[in-house]
Amino acid sequence: MDRNIHMENQFEDLRAQLHIDCGKCCGLCCTALYFSKSEGFPSNKKAGKPCPNLLSDFRCKIHSQLSQEGLKGCIAYDCFGAGQKVTQMIYSGSAWKTMPPDRAQEMFDVFIRVYQLHQILWYLIEALSLTAAQKHKNELKGLILKIQTTVGNSPADICSFDIEAYRKRVNHVLKEAGDSVGESVGGNKTGKLDESEYLGRQFGKADLSGQDFSMALMIASDLSGCKLRGTNFLGADLRDTDLSNADLSESIFLTQMQINEAKGNKHTRLPDWLERPDHWK
């Protein structure tokens, strides 16, 4: 599967901005979001309430013990760079701790919306790099520019932006891009299964090139040793999916969060822009 190298280089810096930099954030993910202990977080926590393990300097008191404690939710989470964007750029380095309650709540709301927009931006950047999707180039560029403009606006403008209407436009072009890639690699002709049929499924080291797993529930499925060239993982739930010895180097629409919540090993091949999690053995 070919990628447009020129586009890859052009948006390399933009993609880099979507990688997390917790040192430049004021603990927004640990405060703004709702936590559920059943989903691998330290305890049930209401949105807007700081995690009990958040220190005064916004570091995590138990960060080095997350694996031992089985806190999969904390290990997997990735904000797509929204934390540092909101803290450093939109609020000029200010922290919610120093703000009146209504202003702090506004910051939390902005963080959640910028997170959603950055996640969409991640997918759009990749779509623009796909040779098979170049017929959508102008539309993709327009959608990217819209996000860049929106997250550069005031908090009020960001909160009033109609994300759902925008997401519908994005979903259409991403589906077209994914289908184009699947066709270009001679994708799986059997079509998509029922969502429930992917749960815990053993794929037996199959060649799944071009398969469309978008939005599939693949919890605890076994993709170990599989060939996944041009395989579409857009929004797929990969919690505890076994990726050991699998080749995902040319899979599409993978995120760091999906990789973080899956299982893998040193032989798992990933796209260059994703990092091998420390907890993979």
Side-chain angles (χ1 to χ4, degrees):
M1 184 189 68
D2 293 330
R3 293 184 184 272
N4 189 311
I5 302 302
H6 173 69
M7 290 298 179
E8 275 289 296
N9 294 336
Q10 183 178 357
F11 287 99
E12 186 176 347
D13 289 342
L14 185 54
R15 180 181 272 146
Q17 294 173 26
L18 303 182
H19 286 279
I20 60 173
D21 188 346
C22 297
K24 294 182 179 178
C25 177
C26 59
L28 287 170
C29 66
C30 304
T31 309
L33 305 178
Y34 163 78
F35 285 178
S36 171
K37 189 172 183 178
S38 65
E39 295 177 349
F41 291 97
S43 61
N44 294 334
K45 182 189 80 65
K46 293 181 179 179
K49 180 181 178 182
C51 173
N53 294 307
L54 186 65
L55 299 172
S56 59
D57 61 358
F58 304 118
R59 291 182 300 125
C60 174
K61 182 169 62 177
I62 61 169
H63 182 72
S64 62
Q65 304 162 36
L66 296 178
S67 292
Q68 297 93 307
E69 298 290 334
L71 300 180
K72 294 183 179 180
C74 296
I75 293 170
Y77 184 75
D78 187 293
C79 74
F80 295 93
Q84 67 258 27
K85 174 71 175 184
V86 173
T87 302
Q88 300 298 329
M89 304 298 292
I90 298 174
Y91 286 90
S92 303
S94 297
W96 54 267
K97 269 188 177 183
T98 63
M99 299 176 182
D102 60 336
R103 180 74 167 164
Q105 183 58 54
E106 176 196 76
M107 189 180 200
F108 300 153
D109 293 342
V110 168
F111 166 70
I112 292 170
R113 295 178 78 82
V114 172
Y115 160 75
Q116 293 173 324
L117 289 169
H118 275 201
Q119 183 180 40
I120 294 170
L121 182 58
W122 177 274
Y123 293 133
L124 291 172
I125 292 168
E126 179 167 2
L128 191 55
S129 78
L130 300 170
T131 300
Q134 287 308 294
K135 60 185 175 182
H136 305 290
K137 178 175 66 175
N138 291 335
E139 186 175 3
L140 288 165
K141 284 185 174 181
L143 290 167
I144 288 172
L145 180 60
K146 184 63 176 178
I147 291 182
Q148 291 177 300
T149 302
T150 300
V151 298
N153 288 338
S154 69
D157 288 336
I158 293 172
C159 288
S160 65
F161 180 69
D162 190 344
I163 290 182
E164 290 313 308
Y166 174 78
R167 196 192 302 274
K168 288 180 181 179
R169 293 175 56 201
V170 170
N171 286 344
H172 173 74
V173 71
L174 290 182
K175 183 181 186 309
E176 292 287 325
D179 289 347
S180 296
V181 170
E183 292 169 6
S184 74
V185 297
N188 191 302
K189 303 298 191 296
T190 60
K192 295 186 71 171
L193 299 176
D194 243 14
E195 284 187 347
S196 61
E197 294 187 66
Y198 290 121
L199 291 169
R201 186 180 180 87
Q202 308 290 310
F203 286 93
K205 300 182 180 179
D207 183 349
L208 299 172
S209 297
Q211 178 70 52
D212 183 5
F213 288 133
S214 58
M215 305 308 294
L217 296 175
M218 306 186 72
I219 300 170
S221 61
D222 186 354
L223 290 171
S224 59
C226 287
K227 184 178 179 182
L228 301 161
R229 184 169 180 257
T231 306
N232 185 349
F233 286 102
L234 180 66
D237 190 336
L238 299 183
R239 282 177 289 172
D240 291 325
T241 297
D242 190 351
L243 303 177
S244 300
N245 305 310
D247 186 355
L248 297 98
S249 60
E250 294 186 83
S251 299
I252 62 172
F253 300 138
L254 279 168
T255 68
Q256 189 65 51
M257 191 181 299
Q258 287 173 307
I259 296 302
N260 290 346
E261 62 191 5
K263 298 176 180 178
N265 62 11
K266 66 180 181 179
H267 300 296
T268 304
R269 296 187 62 192
L270 299 173
D272 292 341
W273 48 89
L274 295 176
E275 298 178 2
R276 191 177 307 276
D278 292 337
H279 60 277
W280 281 11
K281 303 297 183 183

